[in-house]
Amino acid sequence: MSISLKKNASVSLKKEGGDGLSAIMLGVGWDVASSGFLGKILGGGGGSIDLDASCIAFDASGRVIDTVWFQQLVSNDRSIRHSGDNLTGEGDGDDESIAIDLTALSANVETLVLTVNSFRGQTFDKVKNAFGRVVDSRTNRELARFDISDTGSHTGLVLASVKRDGGQWTFKAIGERTTGRTVQDLVSVAARLI
């Protein structure tokens, strides 16, 4: 059974995934918020929302080692792989995902930060049912989920982090609103929050 996290809560992935946890998947999903019946008639609401999930790898000093996003789908050490860009948010489940081989991850990576941003500048008040989750890739079991009920005029979100702690990993729900249209725009905010 998955753990549902609130903002700033964390969970040990070893506790949830066991000693055999070697690879995880970070998934992000969202739906387009409808503006209601009158909004549809008058041309508001509906359509598509292009959000982009990204992963920033930091070392112990908070220096960026690598970024994985829709323009760089694989990390330099090949341990982090992005599923590719979803331009609409349509469909059930994860709209974008990032697979991480924890055993192949460079030893100097201490923290992975999952961010979501709108490259087109669409705001989060046009999004509903947004979530981030971490899944044990070996068993396909969801270990933890962070449902984002936070809407607003922001274009970016520092969603969550996965932190190495003495050989173990901890998933933390962050949920920090920010602005930015690419992962590079969110790096300084992410660094401040880890």
Side-chain angles (χ1 to χ4, degrees):
M1 184 162 136
S2 175
I3 302 236
S4 181
L5 297 177
K6 301 290 184 205
K7 189 173 181 174
N8 295 316
S10 60
V11 63
S12 164
L13 294 182
K14 178 182 179 184
K15 179 180 176 187
E16 296 306 311
D19 287 328
L21 188 67
S22 59
I24 58 174
M25 187 273 300
L26 300 173
V28 177
W30 65 91
D31 292 321
V32 177
S34 172
S35 60
F37 179 73
L38 285 178
K40 288 181 183 176
I41 290 173
L42 300 174
S48 65
I49 298 289
D50 179 17
L51 296 181
D52 300 314
S54 304
C55 182
I56 309 167
F58 291 94
D59 67 11
S61 67
R63 185 177 60 88
V64 175
I65 296 171
D66 209 347
T67 55
V68 175
W69 57 307
F70 74 87
Q71 289 188 352
Q72 180 182 326
L73 296 177
V74 180
S75 62
N76 293 325
D77 68 3
R78 315 219 38 93
S79 66
I80 305 171
R81 296 182 179 276
H82 194 292
S83 64
D85 196 13
N86 178 324
L87 300 175
T88 64
E90 290 180 6
D92 293 330
D94 300 320
D95 290 306
E96 292 189 12
S97 61
I98 299 172
I100 303 163
D101 182 346
L102 298 173
T103 64
L105 196 62
S106 295
N108 61 339
V109 172
E110 180 157 314
T111 306
L112 301 168
V113 176
L114 181 63
T115 65
V116 182
N117 58 274
S118 172
F119 183 74
R120 295 180 188 163
Q122 295 166 303
T123 58
F124 277 73
D125 56 2
K126 295 177 175 45
V127 174
K128 69 176 184 177
N129 302 326
F131 66 87
R133 68 187 193 126
V134 60
V135 173
D136 181 341
S137 296
R138 182 178 43 101
T139 63
N140 206 32
R141 185 172 77 87
E142 183 177 279
L143 303 176
R145 171 180 286 262
F146 177 36
D147 289 315
I148 308 153
S149 58
D150 211 14
T151 64
S153 60
H154 53 290
T155 57
L157 189 69
V158 177
L159 183 63
S161 67
V162 178
K163 186 173 179 81
R164 191 189 310 251
D165 184 19
Q168 307 305 318
W169 295 92
T170 300
F171 179 79
K172 179 180 180 184
I174 297 174
E176 181 75 18
R177 293 176 174 193
T178 187
T179 57
R181 294 174 52 164
T182 68
V183 67
Q184 287 86 358
D185 298 335
L186 292 115
V187 166
S188 61
V189 176
R192 179 177 49 82
L193 293 169
I194 58 172

